[in-house]
Structure formats: structure tokens, C-alpha cells
């Protein structure tokens, strides 16, 4: 993007922001019907289009920090702008999350089910867009000016990010312990049934927020990126009237869909867009996973647990 003019760069940025939002909102209802073929929903049979789960995960997730670093260091929205200490702290927080997600966590995982090729390809596409948008935004002059104005609220947002990050790691560790125990049991039994081996990875998790919800790792990740968004960007201004007016007629909707990217939700910045995408793309999987737990374990599964938000959802 460094070879583009400022106008071209801004158009590309706004176009990516717009279509990233729209595609995710379309994919959300689809995933309530079609399960992404990895993890507990992985295909039962081997296929030429199925790949090692751990390697696939690392390949698709490492894309995000690499794209973030490139966009952050080149600062396409504000070429030559000075990067403040607060911006560097935000960048470090983003990279810390992905160091754990893309490298540390998968390398510590005893095993992962194979993933259909559609999963890493979709993940790579998502991470190219998200990493590029986040890096460009965090390095921008607009972010630097915002960070000057919010004072201690910046650190409050970072504290919320840190709490979510720790919660995400801790609850993931509970799942990793279940897999380690399952792996030890599998080695002792040396069962020849591949299906049984796969199922041994799964047991009912207990402890901390698992007392209340089936997916505390998802919930904590949402808290993490809510804190990041609050630290990095103003809360988007959303008008219910404008949303209803777009949905009121076909012409209004088409005008909205094919209109100028710069006019699309101008206050929806990449940190808030990332949080939105996390929720709309992860909730369907949490919902289906919650159902799976009840079907798999029946009456043994705690009935008081909600899906992903304690006592609410």
C-alpha cells in the first residue's frame, strides 16, 4: 500500500472495512446451519482436503500478527507519522495475544483434529484483512490524537484487555489438561478405533467460569477485545433510525450496499469491527457446541450452564 496515493490508500482501507463487516454478517446465520469442519465438528473420515489440525492452525493464525506488523510499521494511513508510546503498547498487546494464539497454545496442545482446507483458507482471508486493518489503524495519526485525549481511560481499557487475556489463557488451559489426560488414557488403552481416539479428547470441563457457561474462553476473548477497543478507539455511533431506513426499501439497501466505502459506518473503526466479527462468528459455534455438549453427555452435563455469557445467554 505504500506505493498508493493517500486517496487510493484510504479507499482501499474503507473498502476492506466495509466488506469485512458485510461478509461476516452474512456468514453468521450460515454457521448456525453449517458447522465449520474442525475440532469437535471435524470430518469423521480422512480426505485429501483435510490437513493436520495443529499445523493448519499455526499457518492461518500467524498471518494476523505478520499483516499487523507490516501495516503498523509502514503506517499507510499516516505515512511518516510519529508513533506514540501508547500506540506501541496497543501493538504489543495485539502481538502478545497472537503470540499465544498462533504459536504457544498450538505447540502446547497434545493433538488437534484434522481441519478441512476451507478452515485454514477462511482463517487466512480473515487474518489478512483484520491484521492489515488493525495495524493501519493503530499506527494512524487519528489514533495518536485519540489516545492523547482519553487519559486514564486508556489504562482502564488495557486493564480490561489484560483481564480478558488472562481469562482466555486460563480457561484454554483447562481444556488442554483434559486433552492431556485423554492422551494418557489413549496411550494406555492403545485402542485401534480412530473414532474412539477422537472422542476421547472430549470431556466435561469444570472450574472457574465453566461453572456458569460452556464457552468461557470465548467470553473472555470478547472481554479482551472490548477492552482493547475501548483503549484504542471511540465507541461507534450507531443510529437505529439509519439502520431501519436502509432496510425499509430495496433501493435504499442497494444504495447502501454499493455506495461509497467512506460513507459506510464511518465511526466503525477496526478495533470495534474486530470485536463485532468475534461475536457474530464465534457465537454460532458456541451455540452449536453447547448443543453438542448436551447431546454428547446428556443428563451429566450441568443444566445451569448458559452458552457464553453468564446468567444471560
Amino acid at each position: 500500500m505504500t506505493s498508493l496515493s493517500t486517496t487510493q490508500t484510504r479507499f482501499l482501507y474503507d473498502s476492506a472495512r466495509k466488506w469485512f463487516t458485510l461478509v461476516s454478517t452474512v456468514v453468521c446465520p450460515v454457521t448456525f446451519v453449517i458447522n465449520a469442519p474442525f475440532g469437535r465438528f471435524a470430518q469423521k473420515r480422512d480426505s485429501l482436503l483435510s490437513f493436520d489440525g495443529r499445523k493448519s492452525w499455526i499457518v492461518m493464525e500467524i498471518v494476523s500478527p505478520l499483516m499487523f506488523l507490516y501495516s503498523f510499521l509502514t503506517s499507510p494511513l499516516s505515512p511518516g507519522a510519529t508513533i506514540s508510546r501508547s500506540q506501541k503498547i496497543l501493538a504489543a498487546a495485539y502481538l502478545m495475544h497472537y503470540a499465544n494464539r498462533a504459536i504457544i497454545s498450538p505447540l502446547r496442545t497434545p493433538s488437534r483434529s484434522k481441519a478441512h482446507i476451507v478452515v485454514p483458507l477462511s482463517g487466512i482471508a480473515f487474518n489478512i484483512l483484520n491484521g492489515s486493518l488493525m495495524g493501519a489503524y493503530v499506527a494512524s495519526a487519528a489514533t495518536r490524537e485519540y489516545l492523547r485525549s482519553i487519559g486514564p481511560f486508556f489504562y482502564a481499557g488495557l486493564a480490561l484487555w489484560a483481564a480478558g487475556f488472562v481469562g482466555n489463557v486460563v480457561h484454554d488451559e483447562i481444556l488442554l489438561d483434559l486433552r492431556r489426560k485423554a492422551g494418557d488414557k489413549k496411550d494406555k488403552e492403545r485402542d485401534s478405533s480412530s473414532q474412539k481416539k477422537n472422542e476421547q479428547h472430549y470431556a466435561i470441563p469444570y472450574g472457574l467460569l465453566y461453572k456458569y457457561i460452556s464457552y468461557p474462553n470465548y467470553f473472555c476473548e470478547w472481554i479482551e477485545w472490548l477492552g482493547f477497543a475501548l483503549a484504542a478507539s471511540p465507541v461507534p455511533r450507531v443510529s437505529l433510525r439509519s439502520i431501519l431506513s436502509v432496510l425499509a426499501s430495496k433501493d435504499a439497501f442497494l444504495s447502501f450496499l454499493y455506495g461509497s466505502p467512506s460513507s459506510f459506518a464511518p465511526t466503525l473503526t477496526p478495533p470495534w469491527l474486530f470485536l463485532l466479527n468475534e461475536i457474530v462468528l464465534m457465537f454460532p459455534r458456541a451455540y452449536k457446541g453447547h448443543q453438542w455438549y448436551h447431546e454428547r453427555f446428556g443428563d451429566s452435563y450441568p443444566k445451569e450452564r448458559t452458552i457464553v455469557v453468564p446468567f444471560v445467554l
Side-chain angles (χ1 to χ4, degrees):
M1 284 195 290
T2 54
S3 62
L4 301 176
S5 68
T6 303
T7 302
Q8 290 172 323
T9 299
R10 189 73 201 192
F11 177 82
L12 184 60
Y13 168 83
D14 284 326
S15 296
R17 190 174 54 83
K18 174 181 178 178
W19 291 105
F20 196 26
T21 307
L22 295 179
V23 170
S24 295
T25 54
V26 170
V27 169
C28 174
V30 173
T31 52
F32 276 106
V33 180
I34 302 174
N35 295 317
F38 71 99
R40 61 176 52 87
F41 299 119
Q43 293 177 312
K44 299 296 183 182
R45 298 178 180 177
D46 286 337
S47 165
L48 291 175
L49 297 178
S50 294
F51 296 88
D52 180 87
R54 188 184 307 178
K55 293 177 182 177
S56 297
W57 184 270
I58 292 173
V59 168
M60 72 178 185
E61 293 298 332
I62 200 69
V63 171
S64 189
L66 292 177
M67 296 306 299
F68 179 92
L69 269 175
Y70 175 77
S71 292
F72 183 78
L73 294 175
T74 57
S75 188
L77 295 178
S78 306
T82 302
I83 303 297
S84 69
R85 184 185 68 171
S86 296
Q87 287 171 288
K88 293 176 182 177
I89 291 173
L90 288 174
Y94 188 91
L95 295 173
M96 187 184 300
H97 171 89
Y98 274 97
N100 177 70
R101 182 177 177 87
I103 301 173
I104 298 172
S105 179
L107 290 180
R108 295 183 66 247
T109 302
S111 64
R112 284 179 183 261
S113 301
K114 287 190 174 183
H116 191 278
I117 192 172
V118 72
V119 174
L121 289 180
S122 299
I124 288 170
F126 180 94
N127 286 321
I128 287 174
L129 282 171
N130 190 62
S132 299
L133 286 169
M134 289 284 278
Y137 177 80
V138 171
S140 69
T143 300
R144 185 177 68 251
E145 292 305 313
Y146 171 73
L147 293 175
R148 285 178 179 173
S149 68
I150 62 170
F153 291 105
F154 170 74
Y155 296 101
L158 280 182
L160 192 60
W161 172 88
F165 176 74
V166 171
N168 180 255
V169 171
V170 167
H171 288 95
D172 273 347
E173 188 66 24
I174 292 175
L175 296 180
L176 287 178
D177 282 340
L178 289 179
R179 289 193 175 192
R180 293 187 190 105
K181 292 176 183 177
D184 292 341
K185 180 180 178 182
K186 182 173 63 178
D187 290 340
K188 291 178 181 179
E189 294 181 357
R190 297 190 180 280
D191 195 299
S192 61
S193 168
S194 60
Q195 182 176 353
K196 186 174 181 180
K197 286 180 182 179
N198 185 52
E199 288 180 351
Q200 284 178 352
H201 285 302
Y202 300 107
I204 301 174
Y206 291 96
L208 301 177
L209 289 179
Y210 279 110
K211 179 178 180 180
Y212 307 104
I213 51 180
S214 295
Y215 282 85
N217 48 341
Y218 286 17
F219 175 70
C220 289
E221 189 164 335
W222 295 353
I223 294 297
E224 180 184 355
W225 293 114
L226 171 62
F228 187 94
L230 288 170
S233 174
V235 178
R237 298 187 299 275
V238 180
S239 168
L240 180 59
R241 172 181 283 184
S242 63
I243 295 174
L244 293 176
S245 66
V246 167
L247 300 176
S249 71
K250 179 181 177 180
D251 290 341
F253 179 75
L254 290 176
S255 177
F256 163 79
L257 191 63
Y258 296 108
S260 170
S262 61
S263 64
F264 174 83
T267 62
L268 182 61
T269 57
W272 291 101
L273 174 54
F274 186 26
L275 176 62
L276 172 65
N277 280 334
E278 287 256 304
I279 294 172
V280 300
L281 296 177
M282 293 169 70
F283 177 72
R285 189 166 181 85
Y287 173 79
K288 299 298 287 290
H290 184 73
Q291 288 184 321
W292 181 91
Y293 272 125
H294 281 282
E295 293 169 2
R296 174 72 175 79
F297 298 104
D299 293 338
S300 299
Y301 195 72
K303 293 181 175 59
E304 67 274 10
R305 289 188 191 180
T306 53
I307 302 171
V308 73
V309 179
F311 312 114
V312 178
L313 184 65

